[in-house]
């Protein structure tokens, strides 16, 4: 049985920030849903590119030499090895597309690290 | 230089149907944009899962034992090996996520096969 995923329905199921849920898998990649609000930490993914598709709100991506505002209906891919800091002044809903073993905090492990992500 | 992609801007750049363009890459995957209208052929991808995210319109996915209507803000992943036929009664705009070597017609090669996809 193949099932579709309605993004709005899934986003309605959780309220916390910076805690991605898995909503799909495509070969070795996961499709994750996350709500962001506030500043995240600077981090890098050594091997994993990371795609952020904004479905609601406005996401600021800070790089060391650049700042990019990603709005609803826009996406950005942060190549592996590029240090970045996601910032959400107001709540943002984001679809992430990244390799299954991607850790949300990349090369940093601290209290904001979420391992063993659950499916939603 | 990291650049964001605005989906509406990119979709405005082409009008033809069933001819995906590459809009991004995430490790071994491509993000492709395509407009669909009418019935496509039944086909299977032997090794590649294929994700369809509908950003405008309504996409019918026929499987041999199921039909699923995927609407704006919804996605579906067709697992590799599952025969499917995409059908768009009216024009649909779709974001595809799939391995880079995915052929649009899967195990079938005919006049609808598009190889050497260009970036947009």
């Amino acid at each position: 049985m193949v099932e579709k995923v309605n993004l709005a329905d899934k986003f309605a199921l959780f309220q916390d920030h910076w805690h991605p849920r898995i909503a799909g898998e495509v070969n070795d990649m996961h499709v994750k849903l996350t709500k962001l609000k506030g500043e995240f930490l600077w981090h890098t993914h050594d091997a994993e590119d990371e795609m952020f598709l904004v479905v609601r709100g406005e996401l600021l991506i800070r790089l060391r030499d650049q700042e990019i505002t990603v709005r609803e209906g826009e996406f950005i891919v942060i190549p592996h090895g590029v240090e970045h800091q996601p910032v959400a002044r107001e709540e943002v809903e984001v679809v992430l597309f990244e390799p299954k073993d991607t850790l949300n905090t990349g090369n940093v492990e601290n209290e904001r690290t979420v391992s063993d992500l659950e499916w939603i």
Side-chain angles (χ1 to χ4, degrees), chain A:
Chain A
M1 186 75 179
V2 176
E3 291 189 14
K4 68 176 177 179
V5 172
N6 180 291
L7 294 175
D9 288 353
K10 293 294 187 192
F11 275 113
L13 295 177
F14 66 96
Q15 301 305 325
D16 53 348
H17 300 128
W18 309 107
H19 183 136
R21 269 73 172 181
I22 301 168
E25 60 181 318
V26 186
N27 291 101
D28 297 329
M29 313 292 281
H30 270 149
V31 185
K32 299 174 186 171
L33 309 185
T34 186
K35 297 186 182 188
L36 313 179
K37 189 172 180 186
E39 294 201 351
F40 205 54
L41 47 94
W42 282 95
H43 66 284
T44 307
H45 304 281
D46 290 338
E48 303 89 8
D49 302 338
E50 189 170 37
M51 174 171 166
F52 297 78
L53 170 68
V54 174
V55 297
R56 192 172 65 79
E58 207 170 283
L59 174 64
L60 176 67
I61 298 282
R62 289 197 185 122
L63 309 180
R64 287 301 182 188
D65 58 355
Q66 222 186 321
E67 290 199 347
I68 307 122
T69 300
V70 188
R71 299 185 175 84
E72 190 174 320
E74 296 181 335
F75 73 81
I76 195 168
V77 179
I78 309 299
H80 60 279
V82 174
E83 204 180 5
H84 58 285
Q85 181 192 36
V87 177
R89 296 204 173 91
E90 304 293 333
E91 187 179 78
V92 185
E93 292 178 351
V94 174
V95 179
L96 298 169
F97 189 66
E98 54 192 23
K100 287 181 180 175
D101 51 3
T102 305
L103 204 59
N104 65 325
T105 52
N107 60 325
V108 179
E109 290 207 46
N110 65 13
E111 73 284 354
R112 305 191 78 166
T113 303
V114 184
S115 36
D116 299 324
L117 295 188
E118 63 265 44
W119 276 77
I120 199 167

